[in-house]
């Protein structure tokens, strides 16, 4: 009997995770302090029937000490479909389904990755990094979420704002993907919030929370960059300047966004 040799195919590991590979129908990722909490979350999502996240395979760790997760087929990144309102609405619905699925999961657990957050009491376990690189498309539709390394207890609105940061996007046009450079951000924020079902009282806070998120993300990234590694590379590549430009852009367009959200 001839043993099957499974080749390792390097995958895009995002901004802060190296060494991510595909092996057959699985993804192998380096473990971190948050891995036990993330695996517990993913097992909970599987148990409640949420299909938009990878499953933990077997024990969750291979012989090389790497995480073993299900590979979600499809493509990631900003795509032609990303500018469409219906696609943005599907993403808003996906995030709502995910947040609802985390209900019942303990919000107090050792190992959650620290990061910027809302001042209000946590309501859900947010993904907190739902960038285009972490959303999986199939047949032109977003259906899956990957890379839960930055997941942590937070408010629904804070995770909504974090997602809109990349998908509306809440950013200076010079820093946007070319496909999203000239989109109507205020309308897209409303489309996403409508699909998610953000209530009126929270919509009134959205710009305020976005500003808090920018300020705290800047401080967190600067602190992590001081320790070196990939965070330092991101900082050296202009991450701080992009956040500062986003804050300035938000100041100019605050009334426009607010008008779309609160008629």
């Amino acid at each position: 009997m001839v043993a099957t040799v499974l080749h390792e195919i390097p995958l895009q590991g995002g901004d802060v995770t190296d060494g991510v590979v595909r092996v057959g129908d699985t993804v192998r990722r380096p473990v971190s302090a948050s891995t036990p909490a993330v695996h517990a979350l993913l097992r909970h999502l599987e148990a409640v029937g949420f299909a938009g996240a990878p499953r933990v395979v077997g024990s969750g760790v291979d012989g090389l000490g790497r995480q073993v997760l299900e590979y979600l087929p499809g493509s990631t990144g900003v795509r032609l479909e990303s500018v469409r309102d219906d696609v943005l609405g599907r993403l808003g619905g996906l995030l709502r389904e995910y947040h609802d699925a985390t209900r019942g999961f303990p919000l107090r657990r050792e190992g959650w990755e620290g990061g910027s957050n809302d001042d209000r009491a946590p309501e859900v376990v947010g993904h907190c990094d739902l960038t285009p690189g972490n959303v999986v498309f199939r047949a032109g539709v977003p259906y899956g979420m990957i890379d839960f390394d930055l997941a942590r207890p937070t408010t629904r609105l804070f995770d909504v704002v974090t997602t809109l940061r990349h998908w509306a996007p809440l950013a200076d046009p010079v820093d946007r993907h070319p496909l999203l450079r000239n989109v109507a951000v205020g309308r897209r924020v409303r489309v996403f919030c409508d699909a998610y079902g953000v209530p009126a009282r929270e919509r009134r806070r959205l710009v305020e929370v976005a500003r808090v998120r920018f300020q705290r993300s800047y401080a967190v990234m600067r602190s992590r960059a001081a320790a070196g590694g990939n965070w330092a590379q991101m900082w050296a590549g202009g991450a701080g300047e992009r956040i500062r430009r986003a804050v300035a852009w938000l100041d100019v367009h605050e009334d426009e966004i607010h008008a779309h959200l609160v008629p």
Side-chain angles (χ1 to χ4, degrees):
M1 184 174 179
V2 178
T4 300
V5 177
L6 296 177
H7 298 286
E8 296 192 357
I9 304 171
L11 297 175
Q12 177 63 41
D15 292 321
V16 296
T17 305
D18 292 326
V20 181
V21 298
R22 177 182 176 184
V23 181
D25 293 329
T26 69
V27 171
R28 313 297 170 101
R29 300 173 55 88
V31 298
S32 68
S34 66
T35 295
V38 169
H39 282 196
L41 172 63
L42 294 178
R43 292 188 191 280
H44 168 84
L45 294 175
E46 180 180 11
V48 300
F50 178 71
R55 308 307 189 203
V56 179
V57 177
S59 68
V61 181
D62 67 10
L64 298 177
R66 301 175 298 186
Q67 298 182 60
V68 186
L69 304 174
E70 175 190 18
Y71 173 75
L72 297 186
S75 57
T76 60
V78 176
R79 306 161 48 85
L80 287 173
E81 297 92 343
S82 301
V83 303
R84 287 171 24 197
D85 285 357
D86 62 316
V87 169
L88 188 65
R90 290 292 291 268
L91 182 62
L94 178 65
L95 184 63
R96 176 60 185 260
E97 291 171 15
Y98 162 69
H99 283 167
D100 289 349
T102 69
R103 288 185 298 194
F105 186 79
L107 296 180
R108 293 186 178 183
R109 181 179 291 271
E110 294 294 326
W112 289 121
E113 183 77 25
S116 58
N117 218 328
D118 199 345
D119 290 325
R120 299 198 176 187
E123 302 165 330
V124 296
V125 178
H127 183 282
C128 297
D129 194 29
L130 207 56
T131 66
N134 289 335
V135 174
V136 184
F137 280 73
R138 184 169 54 194
V141 175
Y143 83 97
M145 307 159 61
I146 58 175
D147 191 353
F148 285 75
D149 284 359
L150 296 183
R152 57 186 178 272
T154 188
T155 63
R156 289 175 178 266
L157 184 60
F158 196 86
D159 208 18
V160 164
V161 165
T162 298
T163 304
L164 288 170
R165 162 80 171 104
H166 305 283
W167 286 90
L170 302 178
D172 187 293
V174 73
D175 296 317
R176 299 177 196 167
H177 187 283
L179 288 174
L180 299 174
R181 191 157 290 155
N182 298 311
V183 295
V185 173
R187 189 196 73 237
R188 287 173 63 82
V189 170
R190 187 193 68 243
V191 167
F192 187 95
C193 289
D194 286 350
Y196 182 95
V198 178
R201 66 181 181 277
E202 293 293 88
R203 294 182 189 223
R204 295 187 181 96
R205 297 181 57 233
L206 189 144
V207 173
E208 167 197 340
V209 171
R211 188 171 283 110
V212 169
R213 193 263 183 194
F214 283 134
Q215 294 169 346
R216 294 180 178 173
S217 293
Y218 183 92
V220 168
M221 291 192 69
R222 182 174 57 183
S223 175
R224 289 177 174 173
N230 285 351
W231 289 102
Q233 294 178 23
M234 290 173 60
W235 192 259
E241 287 84 353
R242 287 190 290 275
I243 294 174
R244 290 300 193 198
R245 285 193 291 270
V247 171
W249 180 90
L250 187 64
D251 287 342
V252 172
H253 296 274
E254 175 178 358
D255 290 344
E256 173 192 345
I257 294 171
H258 192 74
H260 276 89
L261 285 170
V262 186

